[in-house]
Amino acid sequence: MHSTILVTGGAGYIGSHTLVALLEDGHRVVVLDDLSNASPAALARVGEIAGKPVQLIRGDVRDGALLDQIFAMHPIDCVLHLAGVKAVGESVANPQKYFEINTQGSLALFSAMQRAGVARAVFSSTATVYGAPEFVPLTEAAALRPESPYATSKLAVEYMLAGFARAHSWRAINLRYFNPVGAHPSGRIGEDPLGEPANLFPYIAQVAGKRRQILSIFGNDYPTADGTCERDYIHVCDLAAGHVAAVNYLLNHAMPGECPAVNLGTGQAYSVLQVLAQWQATCGFDIAHQIAPRRAGDVPSYFANPAGAQSLFGWRARQDLARMCADHWAWQQQNPHGYNAD
Ligand SMILES: NC(=O)c1ccc[n+]([C@@H]2O[C@H](COP(=O)([O-])OP(=O)(O)OC[C@H]3O[C@@H](n4cnc5c(N)ncnc54)[C@H](O)[C@@H]3O)[C@@H](O)[C@H]2O)c1
């Protein structure tokens, strides 16, 4: 069954790759994005890759009147809710922004869905809802101890969506992403961070691309194999495929009222030094780096048990670290200043 999917935040990093995957699977898409952290060029390029134009409605997910119009004009079968803000450090300094955009924005969206009778939703949550883990790999049953306003603003939405699902017989899923990296293999869409990147891959990419001088590695005395922190990096195209699998599950198999939380990760942890070594092999040159003091809040090792996604909707990650680096590097080389040149 091919359906019409409203993708909030569709012009962003994960959203743009998810649009390609949805279109390639035969779905129709409508995008709502205020472009606060995205470029319309990303959607133009999604259209090029998929061979179909993508309709953007520029607006804020908190705008209930606009949402009512969208649901009145388009026969939406399922909502993929990616719009939001995502910087942990910024959320500590400005929690209000995170609760307004992430939490109130989701409430406005779910309320408009309820008014319109739209009863399927996938929410972009985050693995940071687990906080500092007692055990790895993390299953969905692990304790939830969000440590930042960002993680709290997301966990509140998970509970909110589960409440709407139960009360109104929706079919819904909360997806907990681990560390999305890489880019579409065409090199046409990818991550385009504003300012200094907060994450390892875009930082390394900008050092390799000579936009930044040196990579700082925050601590090499953690209790891991080489002393640097280990994370579960997942290729953004695998993540996009996970969204399509989740949507198809909601359309075809889910029971009314259900709203499971599902990890999207690979189950494989790589250390900062392992990632750096793969980047250097991919680029064919050394990437300047230095050891810096530990950062507050970093945990040694964080990775998923991804078995839940496999058993619920038959998805697992397929791309390896070499592919993640190669695709991210191709995007960086072809777009040294992101979408700015368009
Ligand atoms: N990238 C990650 O590491 C990561 C990890 C876990 C979860 N997530 C979540 O996944 C989602 C997508 O992340 P991303 O990396 O693609 O981020 P992104 O910033 O590239 O995409 C978010 C999109 O939402 C839009 N947006 C922001 N506020 C909006 C508003 N009020 N109304 C309408 N549109 C708005 C932005 O313009 C942007 O296009 C976010 O909700 C994020 O919290 C991301």
Side-chain angles (χ1 to χ4, degrees), residues 111-160:
S111 303
M113 288 173 58
Q114 167 61 13
R115 289 193 292 277
V118 175
R120 291 184 186 86
V122 177
F123 172 60
S124 292
S125 189
T126 163
T128 59
V129 295
Y130 297 118
E134 272 172 59
F135 304 103
V136 281
L138 285 151
T139 70
E140 292 84 356
L144 300 173
R145 287 186 287 230
E147 285 170 7
S148 64
Y150 166 65
T152 313
S153 74
K154 290 285 188 176
L155 185 55
V157 179
E158 287 198 17
Y159 290 135
M160 198 193 298

Side-chain angles (χ1 to χ4, degrees), residues 148-209:
S148 64
Y150 166 65
T152 313
S153 74
K154 290 285 188 176
L155 185 55
V157 179
E158 287 198 17
Y159 290 135
M160 198 193 298
L161 183 55
F164 274 79
R166 202 175 312 116
H168 306 302
S169 299
W170 289 7
R171 295 160 167 90
I173 295 185
N174 288 307
L175 293 178
R176 294 180 181 155
Y177 308 158
F178 280 70
N179 294 70
V181 299
H184 192 268
S186 65
R188 296 291 289 157
I189 55 173
E191 186 172 13
D192 184 15
L194 282 177
E196 187 172 358
N199 295 329
L200 181 63
F201 264 66
Y203 211 105
I204 294 181
Q206 292 193 4
V207 176

